[in-house]
Amino acid sequence: MKYPAVFIDLAKVRHNARVISNLLKEQGMSLVGVAKGTMCHPGVAESMLDGGARAIGDSRIDNLRRLRESGYRGETILLRAPSPSSCHEAVVYADVSLNSDPVTVRMLGEAALKMGKRHKVILMVDLGDLREGVLAEDAPCVAKEMTDLPGIDLIGIGTNLACYGGVIPTREKMDALLRVKNEIERSIGRPLERVSGGNSANMLMVLSGQMPPGITELRIGESILLGTEAVGRTPIPGCFQDAFVIKAEVIEVLKKPSKPFGEIGQDAFGNVPVFEDMGIRTRAICAIGRQDIDPGSLFPLEKGVRILGASSDHLICDVEEAEPSPRPGSILEFRPGYGSLLRAFTSPFVEKVVI
Ligand SMILES: *Cc1c(COP(=O)(O)O)cnc(C)c1O
């Protein structure tokens, strides 16, 4: 066995997808499974589909291409607007894409026509998070412009909150999205099929029955993969939080002072570190680092292990209270948060082990 490694429990991913797809179904919504936290690992995507996801969404065309090449024939949704230089590929590998700029959508339409296809577009509306999307007041006009483009089918609208600005999805935000839908329908003179209401930050609203009728789908990654909602990171009842476990090998265990000695300047990443003096402590170094995980989103599973920090290739843990104390060659286990999951799957140095 090679370390570091991320262990993937596909049965737990499937179970989480089942719990969430049932919750959504009860409230009239379908589930778009988002597998980008795992670079769209084909086993993970398949487990999402087995658990009731209707389609697979990913922000990167390369991930959707690999999914197609693994044999998937269902709907693919590109979650990040394609760049103008990748419109051809976007049309090849995505059935639907989320967009906000008519310049790109025109190019998508041209690429689709060249291939004798049509491309489906969901218009993103920015309700305050200030990442992608047109402002609500501009949406009817932009929607009209998109509907008139050759090769394009405008099938719905969507919004994304809690990703950049940290704006929480609320009933008011969802009602605002539905008002935009009505205005667009008036402007283009036909109904829109789909209203894509958000991501794992919407799960608290789902759990408390706050999602208004009219939202037709949610795009869910984190809640399926990690079993948590994305506003306060609380567990979703009935979901597993340990479908993924990261394991790393210990390469040094020594007693050392807890406060660095000497003059303090910047660390490897340009930060000036601050340390609390806790006296002499037993510390273990694991052979994994910021290239593979984010130390702020990694949680030790063994009692008595505390993460102190990490450089590119070294993860430093306080193991003073660990029973038994680890030795070089011991394997320490961690539950990844979203940041660590993303890096572990992206790093070629981390083995991916399906169990
Ligand atoms: C990543 C992403 C999602 C899924 O987010 P989670 O918090 O993992 O559920 C949904 N929509 C868009 C546009 C995304 O980029």
Side-chain angles (χ1 to χ4, degrees), residues 154-175:
L154 180 71
I155 59 164
I157 60 169
T159 196
N160 196 67
L161 292 165
C163 271
Y164 172 71
V167 174
I168 297 171
T170 56
R171 180 67 191 234
E172 289 71 48
K173 295 292 183 192
M174 295 299 108
D175 288 341

Side-chain angles (χ1 to χ4, degrees), residues 35-343:
K36 69 190 184 196
T38 65
M39 268 181 84
C40 211
H41 186 284
V44 171
E46 194 182 313
S47 304
M48 288 182 167
L49 294 161
D50 287 349
R54 181 188 54 73
I56 294 293
D58 201 290
S59 46
R60 310 230 174 193
I61 299 172
D62 276 338
N63 287 349
L64 293 180
R65 176 179 49 75
R66 273 196 307 278
L67 180 67
R68 275 280 184 253
E69 287 168 359
S70 77
Y72 173 64
R73 290 281 152 263
E75 185 180 283
T76 52
I77 306 178
L78 182 60
L79 301 178
R80 182 178 67 185
S83 45
S85 62
S86 67
C87 282
H88 174 86
E89 277 185 286
V91 172
V92 172
Y93 297 112
D95 300 314
V96 182
S97 60
L98 309 186
N99 281 278
S100 47
D101 200 312
V103 172
T104 310
V105 176
R106 176 181 295 276
M107 296 173 78
L108 283 168
E110 285 163 5
L113 284 181
K114 263 189 214 143
M115 279 177 259
K117 289 172 88 169
R118 298 184 66 78
H119 184 71
K120 298 191 179 103
V121 164
I122 289 180
L123 171 63
M124 292 302 276
V125 181
D126 194 328
L127 296 177
D129 201 53
L130 298 187
R131 202 178 73 177
E132 75 276 40
V134 296
L135 294 175
E137 58 263 36
D138 301 328
C141 183
V142 176
K144 182 79 179 70
E145 191 179 345
M146 288 183 179
T147 341
D148 293 339
L149 292 171
I152 293 298
D153 292 324
L154 180 71
I155 59 164
I157 60 169
T159 196
N160 196 67
L161 292 165
C163 271
Y164 172 71
V167 174
I168 297 171
T170 56
R171 180 67 191 234
E172 289 71 48
K173 295 292 183 192
M174 295 299 108
D175 288 341
L177 186 64
L178 291 168
R179 277 198 302 277
V180 172
K181 174 189 185 248
N182 291 335
E183 285 160 19
I184 291 178
E185 288 177 340
R186 225 172 299 135
S187 138
I188 65 176
R190 63 170 173 86
L192 291 172
E193 276 165 58
R194 280 156 72 168
V195 182
S196 189
N199 54 38
S200 295
N202 288 61
M203 285 308 297
L204 281 179
M205 288 186 73
V206 173
L207 289 168
S208 60
Q210 289 286 302
M211 291 294 292
I215 306 288
T216 64
E217 68 187 34
L218 292 179
R219 312 171 304 270
I220 303 287
E222 173 170 339
S223 294
I224 301 176
L225 300 171
L226 301 176
T228 46
E229 51 76 30
V231 170
R233 265 47 218 207
T234 55
I236 296 187
C239 284
F240 292 105
Q241 282 76 48
D242 59 352
F244 299 87
V245 174
I246 291 177
K247 303 190 185 184
E249 188 166 358
V250 174
I251 55 172
E252 177 192 295
V253 183
L254 293 173
K255 281 193 175 294
K256 294 192 198 181
S258 42
K259 201 170 161 66
F261 35 95
E263 282 177 55
I264 302 292
Q266 291 185 353
D267 68 11
F269 287 86
N271 308 305
V272 177
V274 183
F275 293 90
E276 193 187 340
D277 191 351
M278 298 176 65
I280 303 283
R281 308 277 295 178
T282 310
R283 299 146 62 95
I285 298 177
C286 290
I288 191 169
R290 285 181 190 265
Q291 200 169 352
D292 322 291
I293 48 91
D294 167 11
S297 105
L298 192 67
F299 309 98
L301 289 175
E302 280 100 346
K303 262 180 63 184
V305 177
R306 197 161 56 88
I307 293 174
L308 297 172
S311 59
S312 307
D313 309 301
H314 297 74
L315 178 72
I316 299 130
C317 300
D318 183 306
V319 295
E320 180 71 31
E321 270 122 55
E323 282 286 350
S325 188
R327 294 181 308 168
S330 299
I331 304 299
L332 293 187
E333 300 191 354
F334 304 88
R335 183 176 66 78
Y338 197 77
S340 283
L341 188 73
L342 190 66
R343 284 201 199 166

